């Protein structure tokens, strides 16, 4: 058994428009106290509707960056996003134990690739934001990443990004002699991210 656990990490999977694997979210907890207790044996039954669970695939997503809709709608891959909550221990003398207190939140960068043919708005923003130095807070952007069901209409989860700033745009690596679509990779910092889910994200029976 454990008590007073804090969520220390939420990991959202990498997204790929060509993937057919099941998508998985990762959660990590840090409890204040854990104890072993005797049990009566048996198995824990967790009913899962397999058909509904298959709704969530890494290929089904929709990225929108305000002012860059023409580019963000053409994204084919997004790297995994992991949000971490740092925790500090607060010693309590009388209890001779430690309390856990949440401190700062570590927010990841948004990294994605898209076809070079649709990257001009992104290049233009990068040139203005980085090269010309017009990177005040009012030049940062907001956006959303929606994780969709298999019908590509139902939204399961949404990440809302605030204060995005593009700091790198470069051609994505290609194997020598490959005849694929030329792509570019963009990297953006974000100052805040919020997670929300819809009733459609309940996969149990």
């Amino acid at each position: 058994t454990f008590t007073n656990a804090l969520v220390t990490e939420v990991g959202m999977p990498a997204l790929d428009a060509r993937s057919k694997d099941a998508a998985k979210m990762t959660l990590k907890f840090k409890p204040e106290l854990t104890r072993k207790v005797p049990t009566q044996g048996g198995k824990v039954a967790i009913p899962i509707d397999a058909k509904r669970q298959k709704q969530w695939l890494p290929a089904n997503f929709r990225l929108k960056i305000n002012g860059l809709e023409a580019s963000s709608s053409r994204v084919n891959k997004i790297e995994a996003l992991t949000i971490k909550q740092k925790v500090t221990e607060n010693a309590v003398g009388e209890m001779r134990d430690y309390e856990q207190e949440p401190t700062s939140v570590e927010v990841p960068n948004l990294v994605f690739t898209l076809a070079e043919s649709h990257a001009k708005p992104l290049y233009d923003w990068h040139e203005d934001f980085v090269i010309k130095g017009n990177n005040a807070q009012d030049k940062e952007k907001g956006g959303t990443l929606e994780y969709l069901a298999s019908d590509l209409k139902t939204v399961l989860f949404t990440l809302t990004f605030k204060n995005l700033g593009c700091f790198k745009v470069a051609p994505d690596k290609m194997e020598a002699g490959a005849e694929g679509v030329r792509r570019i990779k963009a990297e953006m910092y974000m100052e805040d991210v919020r997670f929300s889910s819809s009733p459609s994200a309940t996969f149990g029976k």
Side-chain angles (χ1 to χ4, degrees), residues 152-169:
L152 299 180
K153 295 180 181 179
T154 304
V155 178
L156 301 175
F157 313 105
T158 302
L159 293 181
T160 301
F161 308 124
K162 295 183 178 180
N163 300 101
L164 289 168
C166 182
F167 63 87
K168 184 177 181 181
V169 178

Side-chain angles (χ1 to χ4, degrees), residues 44-55:
V44 177
I46 303 177
I48 295 177
D49 188 332
K51 183 178 180 180
R52 294 188 69 191
Q53 192 168 22
K54 289 181 180 179
Q55 288 182 324

Side-chain angles (χ1 to χ4, degrees), residues 139-184:
K139 299 296 183 180
E140 295 173 333
K141 299 183 181 295
T144 57
L145 173 57
E146 295 176 331
Y147 299 83
L148 306 176
S150 55
D151 61 6
L152 299 180
K153 295 180 181 179
T154 304
V155 178
L156 301 175
F157 313 105
T158 302
L159 293 181
T160 301
F161 308 124
K162 295 183 178 180
N163 300 101
L164 289 168
C166 182
F167 63 87
K168 184 177 181 181
V169 178
D172 197 21
K173 293 181 179 179
M174 292 185 63
E175 296 182 5
E179 296 183 359
V181 176
R182 293 178 61 88
R183 301 188 183 277
I184 64 102

Side-chain angles (χ1 to χ4, degrees), residues 125 129 133-142 162-165 189 191:
W125 181 39
F129 194 79
N134 296 319
N135 50 23
Q137 190 172 20
D138 63 339
K139 299 296 183 180
E140 295 173 333
K141 299 183 181 295
K162 295 183 178 180
N163 300 101
L164 289 168
Y189 68 80
E191 295 182 4

Side-chain angles (χ1 to χ4, degrees), residues 14-21 23 56-62 75-76 148-149 152:
L15 303 176
D16 187 336
R18 295 188 298 179
S19 176
K20 296 181 180 179
D21 298 327
W56 193 26
L57 300 175
N60 303 333
F61 64 90
R62 179 166 54 226
V75 167
N76 71 305
L148 306 176
L152 299 180

